[in-house]
Amino acid sequence: MMALEHASSGQVIEVLRRDGDDLSQFSAIALAKTDELELIRMCMPKGKTMPEHHVLGEITLLCLQGQVAVTAHGGVHLLGPGQMLYLLGGQAHALEAREDSLLLLTILMHKAGR
């Protein structure tokens, strides 16, 4: 399998595939990555969970298709198409796909000493 090339500055990125997506298999693909930013396209099939975890950097999670329940800040937040959630770096969260879902995750990378 070939390694995926990360997008470069100015390059158009296909997040929604024109021929439709198979969202029945979990995948997390880094679309672009720099020292300060990472963009990840995540497919989460219905019923797929990600146990509670945290990321050092601040994140946004944008739902493009489906529905995902995000447990954070003592509650459950449902994200549907076009809805986004922002979390501070270090905020514990868990995910559960309520439907076959497509998400765009943005991570601002944590810098030591920042």
Side-chain angles (χ1 to χ4, degrees), residues 87-113:
L87 295 174
L88 287 171
Q91 175 62 54
H93 60 282
L95 305 175
E96 178 190 355
R98 299 279 174 93
E99 301 173 9
D100 289 351
S101 301
L102 177 62
L103 307 163
L104 180 63
L105 171 63
T106 302
I107 305 172
L108 294 178
M109 306 306 275
H110 176 74
K111 294 284 190 200

Side-chain angles (χ1 to χ4, degrees), residues 11-112:
Q11 181 179 350
V12 174
I13 301 171
E14 291 289 342
V15 180
L16 293 174
R17 296 192 180 139
R18 289 192 178 95
D19 58 355
D21 275 297
D22 176 8
L23 302 179
S24 66
Q25 299 295 316
F26 176 79
S27 67
I29 299 168
L31 301 174
K33 186 171 183 176
T34 68
D35 289 342
E36 297 186 355
L37 175 72
E38 187 166 7
L39 299 175
I40 300 170
R41 179 186 193 276
M42 284 182 24
C43 292
M44 290 187 69
K46 182 178 179 176
K48 172 71 178 173
T49 60
M50 294 183 74
E52 187 172 85
H53 63 285
H54 70 276
V55 178
L56 291 178
E58 295 170 295
I59 68 170
T60 63
L61 190 62
L62 172 62
C63 182
L64 298 168
Q65 290 177 228
Q67 185 183 67
V68 175
V70 182
T71 303
H73 291 286
V76 177
H77 313 277
L78 291 179
L79 293 181
Q83 293 183 310
M84 175 185 274
L85 185 67
Y86 160 74
L87 295 174
L88 287 171
Q91 175 62 54
H93 60 282
L95 305 175
E96 178 190 355
R98 299 279 174 93
E99 301 173 9
D100 289 351
S101 301
L102 177 62
L103 307 163
L104 180 63
L105 171 63
T106 302
I107 305 172
L108 294 178
M109 306 306 275
H110 176 74
K111 294 284 190 200

